[in-house]
Amino acid sequence: MDMNKNTKTPQQKINSGFDKSSTADEVLRGLDLSGRLAVVSGGYSGLGLETTRALVRAGAHVVVTARRPEAAREALTDLENVEVDELDLADLSSVRAFSERFLASKRSIDMLILNAGIMACPETRVGPGWEAQFATNHLGHFALTNLLWPALISGDGARVVSLSSTGHHFSPIRWHDIHFEQGYEKFPAYGQSKTAVSLFTVELDRIGKQHGVRAFVVHPGGIMTPLQRHMPKEEMVALGWIDEDGNVANQAFKSPEQGAATQVWAATAPKLEGMGGVYCEDCNISEMAPEDGAFYGVKPYAIDPEQAVRLWALSAELTKTDIPVDGRE
C-alpha cells in the first residue's frame, strides 16, 4: 500500500522490533547519522538531553535550542558536534530571531524534534494574553516549523517529530475558550496543548508529504524529569508517582533513556519510510484509545483531519506564520 496516497496513515502497530523498554541508543544501533543535522528544542534537559546524546553518538550534528543557553552549554559540555542557540518558545520574536539565524546558515534540516514544553504550570499569560501551555507547547513550535520550512524542504526527506502525551486524554481543543479565559484549570490546559500538538502533526504531514517532509507525534511515556517542576510533592505523592521520600513509586515510569527512545525512533526508523501523520508510543505506532477510558492510545479527536485543518488556520492567524502557498496542497 502506498501510504502517500492516504490522508493519514492508519493508527495500527507495525513490527518495529522495539518496545516500551527500549532505549534511545538501542533504536539507533546500526544507524549511521553522519552528515545528518537535527534541531532539538530543549535538547539540554530531561528527554531532550537524552535525545541529543543519542543522536550525537550515532553521528548526527545537533542544534539545541534553549531558553537558557548558558545552562544548555553547561549541560552539553561533554558532547561534540552540538551547537546551542537561544530560543524562547513563549516569545514569537525569539522564535523568529532564531529561525532567521538558522536560515542564514543555508543548512538543511533532516530531523526537527519539537521536544521542549511545560506541564501543569500555574496560570500564566504570554504574548497577547495566550495561555502559556498552549502557547509554548503548540504555538511556539507551530511558528518555528513554519519559519524553518525552507530548511526542511531543502533536505532529503526531513522528519518532524512533536512530543504530545497521554495527557491529551484530559481535553480536546476547547474551541469556545482556548485560552481558558473563563477559568483556568492546569491539567485540562496541558491536555488541550498536547491535543493541539497531535493535530498539528496530522496537518503538517498532509502538507509536507508532497515535499518529502513527514511528521510524527510521540507520547514518550511516563518519566520523572524537570517537566514536573510545577507540581508540588504532595500532589505527585497523591497521584502515586513518588513516595513520601521522593522516590519513583510507579513501576510503569520509564528511565529518561527509555523515554527518549520513541522520539528518536520516529525521527530515524527505516520502517517508517512512506508513513506519517501518526501518533506513536513505546517505539511503535499507537493503537486507538479504547472506549472503556483506559489511559493509553490516541483519542480520535487528536488525529481528526478536519479539526487539524481548523487548528492550523487558527494557529496561522494567531502567530502570523504559515507555510507559503506553493507549499500547500
Side-chain angles (χ1 to χ4, degrees):
M1 180 186 296
D2 182 358
M3 295 297 183
N4 289 312
K5 293 180 180 178
N6 294 343
T7 56
K8 64 182 179 62
T9 305
Q11 283 290 152
Q12 55 187 11
K13 289 186 176 182
I14 62 173
N15 180 22
S16 73
F18 304 104
D19 57 31
K20 64 182 180 181
S21 67
S22 300
T23 66
D25 282 336
E26 287 170 350
V27 302
L28 290 175
R29 189 170 295 153
L31 294 180
D32 182 3
L33 301 182
S34 301
R36 309 288 281 178
L37 186 144
V39 175
V40 182
S41 70
Y44 63 103
S45 176
L47 300 185
L49 177 57
E50 296 302 330
T51 295
T52 299
R53 286 173 172 164
L55 291 173
V56 167
R57 284 192 287 259
H61 181 84
V62 182
V63 178
V64 171
T65 71
R67 186 173 57 85
R68 299 174 296 129
E70 291 308 315
R73 292 186 181 96
E74 182 175 348
L76 299 166
T77 187
D78 61 332
L79 293 179
E80 297 181 355
N81 294 322
V82 175
E83 61 186 91
V84 175
D85 202 342
E86 184 173 4
L87 170 64
D88 183 350
L89 289 165
D91 180 356
L92 288 186
S93 65
S94 176
V95 177
R96 290 184 182 277
F98 165 78
S99 301
E100 289 170 1
R101 290 192 298 273
F102 184 88
L103 292 178
S105 73
K106 304 297 184 183
R107 292 178 291 176
S108 298
I109 296 173
D110 299 295
M111 295 163 276
L112 175 59
I113 301 180
L114 305 176
N115 164 86
I118 57 176
M119 172 185 171
C121 61
E123 182 172 5
T124 307
R125 301 286 160 180
V126 301
W130 297 337
E131 190 279 311
Q133 294 183 86
F134 185 78
T136 302
N137 298 344
H138 169 58
L139 292 177
H141 280 138
F142 175 90
L144 178 65
T145 304
N146 278 278
L147 292 167
L148 291 177
W149 188 245
L152 288 166
I153 62 174
S154 66
D156 181 23
R159 292 189 189 179
V160 180
V161 179
S162 300
L163 262 69
S164 182
S165 165
T166 302
H168 81 270
H169 288 224
F170 294 148
S171 179
I173 300 298
R174 292 162 42 104
W175 298 108
H176 68 289
D177 185 26
I178 281 180
H179 295 294
F180 285 80
E181 296 168 324
Q182 298 172 16
Y184 180 71
E185 297 178 82
K186 63 181 182 181
F187 281 113
Y190 176 68
Q192 175 186 241
S193 76
K194 292 303 182 178
T195 293
V197 168
S198 185
L199 290 172
F200 159 69
T201 296
V202 170
E203 180 63 1
L204 177 64
D205 188 73
R206 187 191 71 81
I207 295 167
K209 61 187 177 182
Q210 64 178 314
H211 301 279
V213 177
R214 304 309 300 255
F216 300 86
V217 61
V218 165
H219 166 48
I223 309 100
M224 295 303 294
T225 72
L227 183 66
Q228 287 88 7
R229 61 187 175 273
H230 294 296
M231 297 182 65
K233 176 183 174 182
E234 56 270 21
E235 188 172 21
M236 290 191 282
V237 170
L239 288 168
W241 293 1
I242 61 174
D243 61 23
E244 292 290 350
D245 296 323
N247 302 307
V248 175
N250 189 332
Q251 298 306 309
F253 273 59
K254 297 181 179 183
S255 69
E257 294 83 0
Q258 292 169 329
T262 303
Q263 62 204 67
V264 170
W265 175 77
T268 62
K271 288 189 176 182
L272 290 174
E273 286 295 324
M275 299 182 184
V278 287
Y279 180 99
C280 304
E281 59 185 327
D282 294 338
C283 299
N284 210 322
I285 297 175
S286 171
E287 298 175 329
M288 299 301 299
E291 295 183 1
D292 63 6
F295 209 55
Y296 67 89
V298 60
K299 290 284 193 180
Y301 59 67
I303 55 171
D304 181 275
E306 293 182 1
Q307 290 205 43
V309 170
R310 183 179 178 185
L311 180 65
W312 188 284
L314 174 64
S315 304
E317 178 184 354
L318 291 173
T319 64
K320 302 297 188 288
T321 61
D322 200 356
I323 290 171
V325 173
D326 62 359
R328 306 295 296 273
E329 288 187 347

